[in-house]
Amino acid sequence: MGIHNADIAEAFAEIGDLLAIQGDNPFRIRAYRRASQIVRSLPRELAEMHDASEYEALPGIGADLAAKIAELVRTGHLDTLDALRRKVPSGVRELLSLPGMGPVRVRALANKLHVRSRADLERAVASGRLEKLRGFGPALQSGLQTALAVQPAAGSAKRLPLFVAAQYAEPLRRYLQSIPGVARVEIAGSYRRRRDTVGDLDVLLCAPPDVNPFDALGRYPDLGTLSAAGTTKASGVLRNGLQIDVRVVPPESFGSALHYFTGSRDHAIRMRRRAQERGLKLNEYGLFRGTARIAGETEEDLYRRLGLAWIAPELREDRGEIEAAEKGTLPPLIERADLKGDLHVHTDASDGHDSLEKMAAAAREQKLAYIAITDHAKHLGIVHGLDAARLERQAAAIDALNEKLRDLVILKGAEVDILEDGRLALPDSVLARLDVVVIAIHGHFDLSEAKQTARVLRALERPHVSILAHPSGRLLGEREPCALDLERVLEAARDRPCYLEVNGQPARLDLDDVHVKAARDRGVLLSIASDAHSADQLANLEGGVRQARRGWARKEDVLNACPLGELRKLLRRTRL
Ligand code: DGT
Ligand code: CA
Ligand code: CA
């Protein structure tokens, strides 16, 4: 109990960064970074595996890293990391969180300009000393200046990506559920609305008034601090810094409390006003006419008494859902079971961990009828990318496997880089032979909006483009979306046509909810994709579906909810 995959991933990433700041062996650095990514995306908690020898069986984890995982799980910390932290001052480490500042630049700053803290850096920027340093161009400098002015210093609260929050929320939910007298536990707030990031956890416990669950909560091993106000309210902080607000609610108010604390604030305010317009009063205790409670036990009752269909939490952002519920036009939201395939899957031919055969077996387990293998195309900076000859060989392997498979069809594809000038990393003649061409930005994220937009629009003009993958390029908690006029991209995709991806990788979730809705409103079909780099990551489809639901997507809006025959037609339409 206590150590989660996200903690282990974080520790490995930090070791990688600290080794890089020290100028350590690049292979060693890469091994830690890779291990960090692998651990971060594992669907099972390492701490819950019974036998530490299981760690070594994971791809990319050798004996040394397996021992480190075991040490972290057992003791809660790592000698290697502690030693590195002692060597690299915390002020230097903090510089890594600034935009454009990787270990190489941090090392240059420390060695050449003796910059060892934010304050040092602010002075160096102000005095113009950075200009003399190689690799510190004007764009980087102005970015740093802005960030130093607006980005809060380390230690201040930050939002967690949903999948990281889930690693803390779900064990907490199970623990609370096991407290005697607690009938029901719900985590409301942005977590229940499935927002891509979560500020804090709003926990509701359904229990009769004579049950006080806070003594038991106080013994929760992941808990940092807890302060209870009476027997119905408590707030605390988990050891990872995540804030929790806990409320104990009686059964007759549970639905209205759940509604109130699920929010969003704007949705809840609109609902309260609606109640007032009907001479009623809505609060977290119930829906009242005078002093009589007319609803409150369930959310369904509450919506019904206000003349509305129940609204899925994902939609409660005051983006037209109340009007739609009133008119009976709420969209029937896409579900995981509606997906027939996955059009963005990697194998060990490029940077995936598993073979074609293993990915196919996993796809059958996931009840998919088709997948497209979209390994990275070769080009500068892409490790193990496929060139025309290797794509040809992969195609032959896919043909052979398709011969053997009965209930799954494997499509041939590639994930092709959009180069800085908008050309694609493979020639049209090669792309013409593929079933699915997924294009994406993998570098030059910091171009101006005009240049970035022109770059993507130019790429969309190429004759063999099926899908634009992870359009904004964001990585939650790590990289902001690039400056891109997505409205124009959507229009180009609609007119062309081609399709936009909702990438289900937990740290991407890209398109975001707002742009999923914009795409859907314009009739641009969405490809909900796992972008799996290993067999277990096909489960990313679930996260993609949640994100698409927040953007009002129905199955009619989703390319890979179509059966194969229909899909083939839709893919042919993208050929110019
Ligand atoms: P977060 O935690 O920043 O990711 O976002 P939320 O939506 O979970 O917001 P939070 O934790 O501040 O509050 C949880 C819910 O409680 C929120 O969605 C609606 C409700 N709530 C909080 N403050 C107010 C308020 O002042 N008025 C109303 N109507 N509802 C509120
Ligand atoms: Ca919250
Ligand atoms: Ca809260």
Side-chain angles (χ1 to χ4, degrees), residues 183-189 192 204-207 247-263 267-268 271 281-288 293-306 310-311 313 316:
R184 191 172 161 198
V185 182
E186 286 288 346
I187 300 174
R192 181 163 180 247
L204 295 184
L205 303 181
C206 184
R247 288 176 185 81
V248 185
V249 184
E252 65 273 18
S253 293
F254 199 75
S256 43
L258 185 57
H259 179 264
Y260 182 91
F261 292 109
T262 295
H267 176 92
M271 291 285 286
K281 195 172 131 202
L282 174 65
N283 58 30
E284 63 257 56
Y285 306 105
L287 181 66
F288 297 89
R293 187 198 322 263
I294 59 170
E297 199 175 336
T298 70
E299 281 190 342
E300 284 81 355
D301 284 348
L302 209 121
Y303 279 103
R304 193 171 49 240
R305 295 304 284 254
L306 291 173
W310 180 79
I311 299 175
R316 299 185 195 170

Side-chain angles (χ1 to χ4, degrees), residues 154-301:
S156 51
K158 65 171 191 201
R159 305 182 64 82
L160 290 180
L162 179 65
F163 81 102
V164 178
Q167 292 173 12
Y168 298 88
E170 294 309 318
L172 176 64
R173 185 205 299 274
R174 285 195 292 274
Y175 180 83
L176 293 170
Q177 194 75 67
S178 73
I179 298 174
V182 170
R184 191 172 161 198
V185 182
E186 286 288 346
I187 300 174
S190 51
Y191 186 80
R192 181 163 180 247
R193 302 198 312 280
R194 296 284 164 200
R195 245 192 96 171
D196 46 23
T197 62
V198 167
D200 70 356
L201 297 179
D202 306 284
V203 184
L204 295 184
L205 303 181
C206 184
D210 57 335
V211 171
N212 178 359
F214 294 144
D215 290 337
L217 175 57
R219 290 189 299 271
Y220 185 56
D222 264 2
L223 193 73
T225 60
L226 183 73
S227 63
T231 55
T232 60
K233 253 174 84 171
S235 338
V237 184
L238 298 183
R239 282 197 288 113
N240 74 333
L242 184 59
Q243 167 94 29
I244 55 171
D245 290 332
V246 187
R247 288 176 185 81
V248 185
V249 184
E252 65 273 18
S253 293
F254 199 75
S256 43
L258 185 57
H259 179 264
Y260 182 91
F261 292 109
T262 295
S264 67
R265 196 169 164 272
D266 291 348
H267 176 92
I269 290 172
R270 287 283 310 274
M271 291 285 286
R272 200 157 61 222
R273 209 179 304 143
R274 192 178 170 88
Q276 282 161 3
E277 286 160 10
R278 285 163 176 69
L280 305 173
K281 195 172 131 202
L282 174 65
N283 58 30
E284 63 257 56
Y285 306 105
L287 181 66
F288 297 89
R289 176 174 288 127
T291 54
R293 187 198 322 263
I294 59 170
E297 199 175 336
T298 70
E299 281 190 342
E300 284 81 355
D301 284 348

Side-chain angles (χ1 to χ4, degrees), residues 18 36 89 98 101 121 218 277 506 536:
L18 295 181
S36 169
L98 293 166
M101 295 296 285
L121 182 59
E277 286 160 10
D536 50 16

Side-chain angles (χ1 to χ4, degrees), residues 548-559:
R549 287 168 64 92
R550 280 186 54 85
W552 294 52
R554 305 154 301 177
K555 74 175 174 215
E556 303 91 282
D557 303 313
V558 176
L559 178 66

